[in-house]
């Protein structure tokens, strides 16, 4: 399981644009994971699976972050 957090400086902006920022967080989290896995040092393939959940701690978007459950492996090209 991975946890990807939003820096404190962006919390206020995220609270004012919750839908757009939540979607951007989830997409960026997956793209970062896929880019890391594509490196031959790690898996050598970006064909990975993941299940992600947005966690905001409360309705006011306090401490937004994503939890990702990632299998240990990838589909080879």
């Amino acid at each position: 399981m991975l946890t990807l957090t939003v820096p404190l400086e962006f919390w206020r902006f995220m609270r004012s644009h919750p839908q757009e920022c939540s979607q951007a967080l989830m997409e960026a989290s997956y793209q970062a994971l896929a880019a890391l896995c594509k490196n031959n040092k790690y898996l050598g393939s970006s064909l990975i699976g993941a299940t992600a959940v947005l966690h905001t701690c409360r309705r006011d978007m306090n401490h937004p972050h994503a939890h990702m459950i990632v299998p240990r492996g990838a589909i080879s090209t």
Side-chain angles (χ1 to χ4, degrees):
M1 185 175 97
L2 302 171
T3 302
L4 300 110
T5 62
V6 174
L8 177 64
E9 294 81 12
F10 293 109
W11 289 6
R12 181 176 289 170
F13 181 77
M14 194 163 180
R15 279 194 293 265
S16 64
H17 302 86
Q19 189 167 0
E20 297 87 351
C21 291
S22 297
Q23 183 174 351
L25 171 63
M26 300 305 274
E27 289 176 12
S29 297
Y30 185 81
Q31 289 173 3
L33 180 63
L36 181 67
C37 290
K38 189 175 184 177
N39 186 326
N40 285 332
K41 181 179 176 183
Y42 299 104
L43 289 176
S45 175
S46 61
L47 301 173
I48 58 171
T51 299
V53 176
L54 175 66
H55 191 195
T56 59
C57 293
R58 295 192 307 243
R59 290 185 86 134
D60 64 356
M61 298 289 281
N62 185 30
H63 187 66
H65 56 281
H67 291 287
M68 296 182 78
I69 300 169
V70 184
R72 187 177 175 184
I75 298 173
S76 67
T77 54

